Amino acid sequence: MPALVLLGAQWGDEGKGKATDLLGGSVDYVVRYQGGNNAGHTVVVGDQKYALHLLPSGILSPGCTPVIGNGVVVDPSVLLSELSGLNERGVDTSKLLLSGNAHIITPYNVTVDKVTERFLGKRKIGTTGRGIGPTYADKINRVGIRVQDLYDESILTQKVEAALDVKNQILTKLYNRRAMAVDQAVEELLGYADKLAPYVADTVLVINQALEENKVVLFEGGQGTLLDIDHGTYPFVTSSNPTAGGACTGAGVGPTKISRVIGILKAYTTRVGAGPFPTELFDEDGEALRRIGGERGVTTGRDRRCGWFDAVIARYATRVNGLTDFFLTKLDVLTGWEQIPVCVAYEIDGKRVEELPYSQTDFHHAKPVYEMLPGWSEDISKAKSFADLPKNAQSYVKALEEMSGAPISAIGVGPGRDETIEINSFL
């Protein structure tokens, strides 16, 4: 079965858009299976840069059908705005498919998200304030609004009433905010129905039929492994499952249909939002990584926290996702350092620990144990093969591969579409 899962192997922002775009011309479908417009991808095509927030990266590949799966939460205004922006730039978006079972981010979900984060103060999670968490909470509480509900006003009204019965109590009595009107929310949601209608489909059926016809389907995750609601650094995580198992539930395909799982791994480590980060740097090196790597969130606009490569996290990602390959991105950013530290283990309460601790308390107290690798000063952005890389850059890649537990099959040496070294084909 030619089905591939492509996901982040760290805390997100690893360059998944570049990896998906690299494969875009060779795959028939690109399916986003979780998250919402709290995750962004940057894709550079020629001299054009595209910032995608909700749309699958395959939207930029002619001949590829982009799909928003049932596991995604969708803000209709963001989706329509993103489509309009691409259309204005000459990108054909007509092939997009949107699952009728995907949940809608409502205006009241966004309000609750922002108010709750402010209320938490120092204990805040660091959400994007875009209503993602509250929408997933509604889904689990079975008061969520799905795309298909926009086409039945009676059902839509009943569901909005049920959701606001509780939320208005919280807004008025706990947060001292005004109650939200049911009719106003329903009217706004109904206003999106006709505009979204051309894209709505039974995506589970479409995807499985494509696989039966031996079409190549790429499942694209947002965020990263360490932000997974079950397997990440809880509670500083997202509200869904970016790990490989999320592709099955978020797109409606069985695990036996997945043939390859590709982890995107940055040559160093970054994180956006609150939470533990053992290799985080607060010195000139951290600032240099941020500046050279352009480490600013595509969707949030926030500066990313930067640190050295963490092999403990990479090994963990290999295990929980069943990774078959890595795509190493931003190797070029490390050019210029005489020595490059790599975290090979943690020290916790005086003991060396080589695997990710399951205890939140232990992870908060983890101190990185570094191994120093020799750096390089040569420009690697024009390298077309592994042999073109300086010897020390080759050694760095090989060391990361050995520490991480899966082969590195591609290397990003620059932001451009053609600035990639392919060692082994993903297809």
Side-chain angles (χ1 to χ4, degrees), residues 83-102:
L83 288 168
S84 176
L86 289 179
N87 289 334
E88 289 174 4
R89 296 177 68 178
V91 177
D92 179 14
T93 62
S94 62
K95 297 183 72 174
L96 174 70
L97 299 180
L98 170 63
S99 172
N101 287 340

Side-chain angles (χ1 to χ4, degrees), residues 391-412:
K391 293 297 182 184
N392 285 351
Q394 292 183 28
S395 297
Y396 185 81
V397 172
K398 290 176 181 177
L400 265 53
E401 181 177 74
E402 184 176 348
M403 294 175 189
S404 302
I408 293 175
S409 295
I411 304 167

